[in-house]
C-alpha cells in the first residue's frame, strides 16, 4: 500500500528534532486535556447558544452532544490570554468559529508585513 503524504494543517508548526521534522499543534495538549474538555462542556451546557447567531436572532444549539458548538477564547491564547479566564470565553457554532479564526489569522499575517 503506498504511503500517504502528510497533510500540514494551518494551526500546526514544525518541530525539528535530530534531523527529523514532526508537526505539532501549538495548543494540542491544552485542548486535548480532560480539564479543558470538562470545563468546555460545562460552559456549553450553561450557555448552549452561539453568541453570534443570537445577535442575528437565530438559535443555533451548541450544547454538548450536538456536535455543533465550540467554547472559544475571545482573545486567543496565542496572544497571551489566560486559557482559564471564563470572562474570555464565548460559545460559537462551527461556522462562526471558523470565520473568527480565519479573520484572526488574516490579521496576524497582515500585521507581520
Amino acid at each position: 500500500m503506498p504511503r500517504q503524504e502528510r497533510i500540514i494543517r494551518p494551526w500546526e508548526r514544525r518541530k525539528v528534532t535530530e534531523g527529523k521534522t514532526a508537526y505539532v499543534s501549538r495548543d494540542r495538549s491544552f485542548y486535548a486535556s480532560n480539564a479543558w474538555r470538562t470545563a468546555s462542556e460545562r460552559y456549553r451546557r450553561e450557555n448552549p447558544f452561539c453568541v453570534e447567531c443570537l445577535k442575528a436572532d437565530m438559535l443555533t444549539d451548541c450544547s454538548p452532544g450536538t456536535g455543533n458548538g465550540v467554547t472559544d477564547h475571545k482573545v486567543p491564547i496565542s496572544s497571551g490570554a489566560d486559557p482559564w479566564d471564563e470572562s474570555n470565553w464565548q460559545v460559537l457554532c462551527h461556522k462562526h468559529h471558523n470565520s473568527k479564526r480565519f479573520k484572526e489569522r488574516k490579521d496576524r499575517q497582515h500585521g507581520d508585513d
Side-chain angles (χ1 to χ4, degrees):
M1 177 187 240
R3 189 171 176 195
Q4 227 177 355
E5 188 173 319
R6 171 87 164 93
I7 297 171
I8 309 307
R9 308 278 191 294
W11 59 86
E12 295 178 326
R13 62 179 164 83
R14 290 185 193 192
K15 179 182 176 185
V16 180
T17 309
E18 298 176 13
K20 296 179 182 178
T21 303
Y23 296 90
V24 181
S25 173
R26 277 177 274 182
D27 302 316
R28 179 178 57 183
S29 60
F30 172 76
Y31 289 113
S33 72
N34 284 332
W36 170 251
R37 282 192 226 162
T38 302
S40 173
E41 286 179 12
R42 177 192 49 76
Y43 190 79
R44 281 183 287 132
R45 270 193 306 276
E46 294 169 359
N47 306 281
F49 301 109
C50 171
V51 296
E52 293 297 325
C53 289
L54 283 174
K55 289 178 187 175
D57 290 328
M58 298 184 330
L59 291 179
T60 302
D61 187 3
C62 297
S63 58
T66 63
N68 189 38
V70 177
T71 303
D72 176 65
H73 291 91
K74 296 173 193 174
V75 177
I77 297 173
S78 59
S79 297
D82 176 9
W84 298 107
D85 177 11
E86 289 192 30
S87 67
N88 187 37
W89 296 359
Q90 63 184 351
V91 174
L92 295 175
C93 65
H94 286 291
K95 174 186 166 191
H96 285 115
H97 184 254
N98 292 342
S99 175
K100 177 184 177 271
R101 287 186 57 176
F102 177 79
K103 183 181 180 324
E104 288 171 351
R105 288 193 181 122
K106 187 177 173 186
D107 291 346
R108 193 173 15 198
Q109 286 175 346
H110 285 56
D112 294 340
D113 292 344

